[in-house]
Amino acid sequence: EISLKKLSEQFTDTHLNKHPEKKLKDVISCLIENIAPHAVNVASPYFIGHMTSAIPFFMVHLKTIVSALNQNVVKLETSKVVSVIEKQVLAKIHRLIYSNTDMFYQDHVQNTVSSLGVFTEGGTTANLSALWVARNQLLKPIPGFEGVEIDGIAKAYAAHGLDECFILVSKRGHYSLRKAAGVLGIGNKHVIPIDVNLKHQIELTHLMNTINEIKRNPRKAIIAVIGIAGTTETGSVDPLRQIGEICHQHHIYFHVDAAWGGPTLMSEKYRHLLDGISLADSVTIDCHKQFYMPMSCGMVYFKDPYFMNAIEYHSNYVNRMGSVDLGIKSLAGSREAHSLILDCAIKIMGTKGYALLIDYGIELAKKFAQEIEKRKYFRLITSPELNILTYQVCPESLQLALLNTTVEEKKQINATINELNRSVQRIQRESGKSFVSRTVLTAHRFQDGFVDDVVVLRCVLMNPMTTITIINDILNEQEAIFHQLQHERTDPCTLVKEN
Ligand SMILES: *Cc1c(COP(=O)(O)O)cnc(C)c1O
């Protein structure tokens, strides 16, 4: 094992070589022998910490072919059939989300004026694209004002008589939403974090109170409310139907960030978890997550096929009016034909194939949670709704100590537990066999009303080769690290005394 510091010392040459240095075969050997061993083995079934995992090997072939074709879907002239395939696959996923009529899809599948969605480079730009549309809808043209896209944000606020605009999302919202607010000139402090309940879903009363409070001030407006279908940290799904109804009632744009959980719609067994998603004005889904595609690809879908006209751009040499040029309504200019990979992958897997993977992950996460509940050195923090769970290394003695004591002492004990989990996660990662990730759940609410920031170990179960046996190995290793830490402690921490 070589440290990152040592590695970085090997890569300090800042000169471009003038003459060829190596043949292709040498470059490839170097990649295989010297680079790959120091990359992260995300395909290992012991690597269960992130949303990046093993991909089916056929994806590599598909990616190679797409690269070889080198189509550029920014315009028809450099992609031809690929542009119409993209429109077709967009319609297929749109149908998965919105289940509109056959007539609707016949009208729009190859319509050159409307768009059902767009491929992006990931969830971040998918969310940005959705909020771009939402912003332009709110700050729309009115007499004397040509719209925010043309006149800019200062004039937009003046014309609409506004001082501030807001985006509402739960505390567990992805940080890409704050980036989007920054880029769109809304200001990221205007992304308001709404409280979550014990299941880490948005607190509806807090949401409604916040909406009402903003609405009381005529100089404030809401650009969008966002529901999360699978939060990045805990996998929790917000009550989408209720949020959708609240938005409908208040005429607010409703976006669903289903970057993680979107593909759950393919599972007959679990699609009900995303009930209400069809009320969304737009939906983000990542392809490089649960569509198991190679890095990096995302998508955003719009309920109304004309919404994307709010972000339409033309130019004289490409993207001419009325053409099929997909670049007319996309943040990206030149881009790869990712739609071909998704189209082929769906043909190979079928929705049933994907559902097998998704169901397996959800059910394995449940077994994982049961295993944690059985063990006395662990405590479950968030039980899995989808295939993500968080927990802590936390001996029973500390769990008990936390129960009946003052808030001050609880904070202290919690800090000890947080430190312990930081150490366990780091030591396990450094020893190189297994990997779970670590996050801080800010303002985590415990059953007994105690609220604090908690450091948790986070697992994402998406690799079908990960089994409950492997999970037990990982937990055993964590338990061993805990005992080792206890043993090594020089200053005997009174709190972590074992019974
Ligand atoms: C991963 C994720 C994103 C960001 O997606 P990228 O592909 O990393 O840009 C946004 N929202 C949620 C809920 C996610 O899980």
Side-chain angles (χ1 to χ4, degrees), residues 341-383:
I341 302 181
L342 182 61
D343 190 51
C344 295
I346 292 172
K347 281 178 183 141
I348 294 169
M349 303 276 286
T351 55
K352 260 197 159 153
Y354 274 113
L356 280 176
L357 292 172
I358 285 156
D359 294 356
Y360 181 80
I362 292 175
E363 282 151 26
L364 185 62
K366 285 203 175 79
K367 286 186 203 145
F368 194 160
Q370 284 160 8
E371 186 57 37
I372 287 167
E373 307 261 47
K374 270 194 257 166
R375 291 178 176 236
K376 64 175 191 168
Y377 291 103
F378 293 90
R379 128 169 109 161
L380 192 64
I381 298 291
T382 55
S383 48

Side-chain angles (χ1 to χ4, degrees), residues 51 122-124 127 174 176 230 232 257 259-260 286 288-289:
M51 295 172 158
T124 299
N127 282 338
H174 190 268
S176 58
T232 316
D257 184 356
W260 177 253
D286 251 333
H288 56 234
K289 290 179 179 168

Side-chain angles (χ1 to χ4, degrees), residues 51-56 59 63 86 89-90 93 118-124 126 258-263 266 283-301 337-343 345-346 354 357 462:
M51 295 172 158
T52 306
S53 178
I55 52 173
M59 293 291 188
K63 182 105 185 172
E86 178 156 325
V89 74
L90 284 167
I93 306 293
V118 66
F119 279 77
T120 63
E121 53 183 15
T124 299
W260 177 253
M266 291 183 287
V283 175
T284 287
I285 301 180
D286 251 333
C287 292
H288 56 234
K289 290 179 179 168
Q290 297 205 84
F291 271 110
Y292 291 83
M293 269 173 55
M295 285 290 141
S296 71
C297 179
M299 309 176 286
V300 59
Y301 290 89
H338 278 127
S339 49
L340 266 187
I341 302 181
L342 182 61
D343 190 51
I346 292 172
Y354 274 113
L357 292 172
M462 67 181 298

Side-chain angles (χ1 to χ4, degrees), residues 298-312:
M299 309 176 286
V300 59
Y301 290 89
F302 293 88
K303 181 181 205 161
D304 183 321
Y306 298 100
F307 272 4
M308 285 179 78
N309 293 356
I311 55 166
E312 185 172 331

Side-chain angles (χ1 to χ4, degrees), residues 12-24:
T12 54
D13 180 5
T14 58
H15 300 280
L16 288 170
N17 51 298
K18 199 166 202 168
H19 301 291
E21 267 175 16
K22 285 181 177 171
K23 296 198 155 120
L24 175 62

